[in-house]
Amino acid sequence: MSRFNLYQEEFHPSPLQHTWLEFKQSHIALMGLWCLGMFVFLMIFGPLIAPFDPLEQNLNILLAPPAWSSTGTIEHVFGTDSLGRDILSRLIHGCQITFGISLLLVLVAMLLGVAIGTAAGMSYGIRSSVLNHLMDSLMAIPTLLIAIIIVAILGTGLVNSMWAISLALTPIFIHNTRDFVRKELQKDYVIAAQLDGASKIQIFFHSILPNMVELLVMRGTLALSTAVLDITALGFLNLGAQAPSPELGTMLSESIEVAYMAPWTMALPGGTIFLMIMSINLVGDGLRSALRNRLIR
Amino acid sequence: MIPLLAVEDLSYQQGRSRRWMRGRSQFHLGPINFELRAGETLAIVGENGSGKSLLAKLLVGVETPSSGDIYLNGQRLTMHNIKQRCLNIRMIFQQSNESLNPGITIGSILDEPLRLNTQMNAYERNEKIVETLKQVGLLPDHRYFYRHMLSDGQRQRVALARALILNPQVIVADEPFAALDPSVRSQIVNLLMKLQRELGLGFIFISHNLGIVRHISDKILIMQRGMAVEAGKTDTIFNWPKNEYTQKLVNSHQALVGR
């Protein structure tokens, strides 16, 4: 926005624009957003820009150090691992797997949670209560433990761990949605929409959902950081993605054997996970304070 | 001549009687009778908690009456026929601030009743929205505004536009002037009276302001503790109040005006 306003016009941002303006005030949150944008870019275009196949083994150059080391080559910028695979390519593909799957899981959990939460919020009595507390028992157990139980029953694998994590993420969305829908249903504008002849579904989509978007985005970022952490943790424990896959947690666990000889094979995936979770948390935190500031003013 | 709106023995019992609730006194409204002809204005006056807002909600169909009938043009209104009701009886809420959705533009707020109740296409709806906004003294550009960008008077105008947009026959307003400052209030009152003359609307409004009531209403219904204690022409009630509560109200008003 320019510093000088040529026209004497009041600037009235829409609710979403207002949130964005508040969000922009925090430089740290903005930096987190840039970082997150980079991960989204890598997730979408990663395979196009990765220099090597992440699974291609080159036995001539095992454990090559990164380019900034005196013995490193520019061909393998981040060096290679114990099987001679290019770490940069593996990291780029790892971003796609870890971040992409987490995003997918959050979307699934959000859809499921919002659907059940809305049904609970719009109905009354026992039905509402049953729907609301349907998955509460899952909230009492840590996500990892649920995942381990499910993996113990169904066997290891990425898909099974995905089931576990999306199940564990759903109840928070149910509760948030139900509380929000309940609160909004009391307001006059919903009654006004009812008097316009809107059905419950129309009321939800046209009256309540536009006001709920920000809440969902905020909760979504928080759930996303949980999902990334769980996916990598399960990969690290060899319960999620299995060995040749370039999933970040799996890479980390593979590198333990050569941690002293080639510390970069451990530091680089670890650093990537750290950066990913930090950027997600920064964005989520920024959004939360932006929303709070917007509501105060 | 068939009255535009006729209410016969309308009553409402709050809550279902439960055994452990027996001790508490329950609110009971009615029975209430009145008639409204086209172009007439009925004012509902009464103390707080006397059931005025509840009566308005019963008329527009937010609450279901426990007994009694409402006739529109001689035709009985049922709870099932929500479409007939929302096309013909529209409500203006007490707090226009709360009754407008903060998350969508004024244009989409006004679009909703048209989309749900008419067969118009997008172009016709847009035309109708512009026309109605002009009718209530707003600009076509206000379509793109959000609620928080408007002043209280403008919000009240939007609420009025929302009520008018379906070309209703009756408008029910629950204290539409309460939150407005005197100059904006008189603007809105004049606007309402002008629109009523032009469109031949039946107008029912709830107010504590006896000055406005005397100024615009043809009939008055005085309510106390859920009962209609007195009803009649405005002149009659202001000059020869019969009921004790009405006498107090009128006296207090006269004392204020005379001073």
Side-chain angles (χ1 to χ4, degrees):
Chain A
M1 215 167 51
S2 62
R3 185 173 288 263
F4 301 103
N5 201 349
L6 200 58
Y7 304 100
Q8 290 195 328
E9 211 172 40
E10 272 186 84
F11 178 59
H12 288 298
S14 77
L16 275 178
Q17 277 174 325
H18 205 150
T19 314
W20 168 241
L21 288 179
E22 288 289 343
F23 185 83
K24 269 205 312 195
Q25 300 294 316
S26 161
H27 299 297
I28 292 181
L30 210 57
M31 196 199 75
L33 189 69
W34 277 105
C35 243
L36 199 65
M38 183 194 77
F39 281 118
V40 171
F41 176 80
L42 285 182
M43 185 189 82
I44 299 170
F45 298 107
L48 297 178
I49 54 175
F52 292 93
D53 185 332
L55 300 178
E56 183 190 277
Q57 301 179 3
N58 190 346
L59 296 177
N60 297 326
I61 30 170
L62 298 181
L63 293 178
W68 54 85
S69 158
S70 54
T71 51
T73 58
I74 197 68
E75 197 186 359
H76 299 283
V77 180
F78 281 177
T80 56
D81 66 2
S82 55
L83 289 171
R85 296 173 293 198
D86 182 52
I87 290 186
L88 178 64
S89 310
R90 278 176 77 73
L91 281 183
I92 291 175
H93 277 86
C95 283
Q96 190 180 31
I97 291 185
T98 307
F99 191 70
I101 285 178
S102 305
L103 212 58
L104 187 76
L105 290 182
V106 170
L107 285 179
V108 168
M110 196 187 277
L111 275 179
L112 201 66
V114 168
I116 298 178
T118 310
M122 290 210 158
S123 55
Y124 295 93
I126 291 179
R127 198 198 309 167
S128 162
S129 194
V130 165
L131 282 172
N132 189 28
H133 299 294
L134 194 64
M135 289 178 141
D136 274 13
S137 53
L138 290 179
M139 283 175 92
I141 316 168
T143 327
L144 266 182
L145 210 57
I146 302 175
I148 289 172
I149 295 169
I150 291 189
V151 165
I153 298 168
L154 298 175
T156 57
L158 190 57
V159 179
N160 292 344
S161 63
M162 282 165 69
W163 279 114
I165 293 167
S166 57
L167 269 182
L169 290 175
T170 309
I172 305 168
F173 282 109
I174 297 182
H175 280 271
N176 281 319
T177 311
R178 177 185 177 269
D179 290 349
F180 188 82
V181 168
R182 266 289 154 84
K183 213 170 64 199
E184 295 298 293
L185 278 182
Q186 303 298 324
K187 293 191 176 166
D188 274 349
Y189 72 80
V190 172
I191 298 177
Q194 263 169 15
L195 291 180
D196 288 342
S199 67
K200 278 188 172 181
I201 296 171
Q202 283 163 333
I203 285 177
F204 175 71
F205 280 107
H206 291 118
S207 301
I208 297 180
L209 200 59
N211 294 306
M212 207 166 76
V213 172
E214 288 156 353
L215 176 93
L216 286 183
V217 170
M218 193 186 80
R219 289 288 154 195
T221 50
L222 294 182
L224 191 60
S225 77
T226 318
V228 170
L229 212 55
D230 288 347
I231 285 263
T232 49
L234 283 175
F236 183 75
L237 295 173
N238 279 327
L239 296 172
Q242 293 300 308
S245 156
E247 200 273 319
L248 294 175
T250 316
M251 282 171 72
L252 208 57
S253 81
E254 274 179 67
S255 66
I256 288 182
E257 294 155 20
V258 289
Y260 288 110
M261 257 191 299
W264 61 89
T265 55
M266 189 177 231
L268 290 169
T272 314
I273 296 173
F274 166 72
L275 200 62
M276 197 181 280
I277 290 174
M278 191 184 69
S279 63
I280 295 169
N281 279 339
L282 282 178
V283 170
D285 210 46
L287 270 177
R288 203 165 23 176
S289 54
L291 275 182
R292 199 173 45 227
N293 289 340
R294 197 197 90 193
L295 292 178
I296 288 170
R297 278 170 207 176
Chain B
M1 186 182 156
I2 302 170
L4 179 62
L5 188 77
V7 170
E8 286 179 9
D9 292 329
L10 195 71
S11 69
Y12 178 81
Q13 180 81 45
Q14 195 175 44
R16 276 158 286 174
S17 56
R18 295 182 188 138
R19 193 175 290 171
W20 61 84
M21 297 263 289
R22 195 179 279 168
R24 280 176 57 185
S25 63
Q26 288 175 339
F27 185 77
H28 188 83
L29 178 80
I32 285 172
N33 294 288
F34 66 81
E35 281 183 1
L36 184 75
R37 294 180 193 286
E40 266 186 345
T41 304
L42 172 77
I44 302 175
V45 183
E47 58 193 8
N48 286 333
S50 59
K52 306 186 301 287
S53 296
L54 183 61
L55 178 60
K57 281 181 179 167
L58 288 174
L59 288 176
V60 293
V62 180
E63 303 278 352
T64 320
S66 40
S67 68
D69 295 314
I70 303 170
Y71 295 93
L72 183 77
N73 292 323
Q75 210 180 359
R76 186 166 168 269
L77 287 178
T78 54
M79 268 326 273
H80 308 295
N81 199 345
I82 191 104
K83 195 151 190 172
Q84 178 201 11
R85 193 186 282 239
C86 61
L87 271 173
N88 293 311
I89 306 182
R90 301 284 292 167
M91 179 151 184
I92 299 176
F93 286 85
Q94 183 167 4
Q95 306 242 310
S96 55
N97 195 15
E98 305 262 304
S99 70
L100 303 176
N101 192 337
I104 57 179
T105 57
I106 302 300
S108 4
I109 290 176
L110 294 178
D111 188 45
E112 192 177 28
L114 290 176
R115 193 162 34 79
L116 293 171
N117 292 303
T118 61
Q119 308 295 321
M120 295 184 190
N121 60 33
Y123 180 75
E124 288 168 344
R125 289 204 302 262
N126 195 19
E127 293 280 294
K128 178 74 185 168
I129 290 170
V130 170
E131 185 196 316
T132 314
L133 281 174
K134 281 181 186 162
Q135 209 173 20
V136 297
L138 291 171
L139 300 170
D141 283 355
H142 282 116
R143 271 177 299 171
Y144 308 113
F145 281 42
Y146 285 87
R147 183 188 82 180
H148 65 271
M149 307 175 188
L150 302 175
S151 68
D152 280 344
Q154 285 172 324
R155 284 177 195 162
Q156 201 67 51
R157 281 166 196 259
V158 173
L160 183 61
R162 182 181 187 154
L164 286 174
I165 201 160
L166 287 175
N167 302 326
Q169 300 177 8
V170 181
I171 287 185
V172 178
D174 187 355
E175 301 195 36
F177 318 116
L180 302 175
D181 65 85
S183 61
V184 179
R185 185 159 59 205
S186 38
Q187 274 180 25
I188 301 272
V189 168
N190 290 338
L191 175 67
L192 264 171
M193 289 175 76
K194 187 178 128 236
L195 289 173
Q196 197 185 14
R197 268 200 308 277
E198 284 170 4
L199 307 172
L201 294 168
F203 184 49
I204 298 176
F205 79 106
I206 296 170
S207 183
H208 286 296
N209 190 328
L210 288 178
I212 292 179
V213 169
R214 190 168 195 179
H215 181 51
I216 67 174
S217 67
D218 302 306
K219 288 177 180 172
I220 300 184
L221 185 74
I222 313 268
M223 291 186 67
Q224 193 183 22
R225 285 186 234 100
M227 302 292 289
V229 291
E230 196 164 352
K233 292 239 189 283
T234 307
D235 283 345
T236 322
I237 293 219
F238 270 94
N239 290 322
W240 301 283
K242 290 197 197 78
N243 185 276
E244 191 189 344
Y245 175 64
T246 319
Q247 281 165 359
K248 275 187 195 164
L249 268 182
V250 171
N251 285 339
S252 66
H253 173 63
Q254 305 288 27
L256 270 179
V257 171
R259 203 156 30 150

